Amino acid sequence: MKIIRPDAETSARMARIRQKGTKIEAAVALMLRDLGLHYRRNVRKLPGSPDFANQSKRWAVFVHGCFWHHHAGCYRATVPKSNRRFWLNKFHDNKRRDARSVRLLQREGYRVVVIWECQAHRIRDKLTKILETGRVNP
């Protein structure tokens, strides 16, 4: 079965979805400041370009949208009915890339936290793990 790329209308609609500056990112930034944590945003020097990172303290935070990163068991992690194979491959590649980024950061001694879009109510709990010693799994 041949993989078909999305049509122009679908592609344009998907392109309008924000990649940066989302509500959940703003909430994470506010919480990091409330916890007194200093950070840089979208650090391209680090594997996966974490949404928030502190290189001297060696921690990184990824904020994942449940649809794009296909959060397991989440109602937002749907698969479009049209061109299903394309989307399944895309989600698989995204998850593999995310896991690789976390693994590489951990090898460099970073504590890594993944905040999922649907877990907005748990931001404080997840971010306080940055302050703990040892590594944090997503």
Side-chain angles (χ1 to χ4, degrees):
M1 187 171 169
K2 184 179 175 186
I3 295 176
I4 302 168
R5 300 206 54 87
D7 59 69
E9 181 183 329
T10 302
S11 184
R13 187 174 57 248
M14 294 300 203
R16 287 192 301 267
I17 297 171
R18 287 179 171 238
Q19 292 180 3
K20 297 178 186 174
T22 61
K23 287 180 186 179
I24 187 73
E25 282 186 4
V28 170
L30 180 63
M31 190 61 61
L32 286 169
R33 286 191 297 272
D34 286 351
L35 291 170
L37 299 171
H38 300 279
Y39 59 85
R40 296 269 184 228
R41 296 193 69 160
N42 306 308
V43 183
R44 291 187 178 177
K45 290 195 303 188
L46 296 176
S49 299
D51 297 295
F52 302 93
N54 184 312
Q55 291 176 283
S56 64
K57 303 287 185 190
R58 303 195 79 68
W59 59 260
V61 176
F62 289 98
V63 180
H64 288 337
C66 296
F67 174 77
W68 292 107
H69 297 268
H70 215 67
H71 187 196
C74 178
Y75 72 94
R76 296 178 186 195
T78 60
V79 179
K81 290 179 182 175
S82 63
N83 211 1
R84 187 171 175 81
R85 188 166 169 197
F86 166 82
W87 287 106
L88 289 173
N89 285 336
K90 180 163 186 57
F91 295 143
H92 174 74
D93 291 345
N94 287 353
K95 289 178 85 163
R96 191 175 64 218
R97 184 189 64 236
D98 294 342
R100 181 178 182 273
S101 298
V102 169
R103 195 171 51 252
L104 290 172
L105 282 166
Q106 288 176 336
R107 280 188 196 152
E108 291 182 24
Y110 280 78
R111 293 178 306 247
V112 180
V113 172
V114 175
I115 305 277
W116 289 96
E117 175 185 19
C118 67
Q119 296 176 335
H121 61 284
R122 294 182 53 206
I123 293 173
R124 180 175 285 277
D125 295 338
K126 293 195 80 138
L127 292 179
T128 54
K129 291 180 180 182
I130 290 173
L131 301 173
E132 298 172 4
T133 57
R135 292 192 171 94
V136 176
N137 293 325

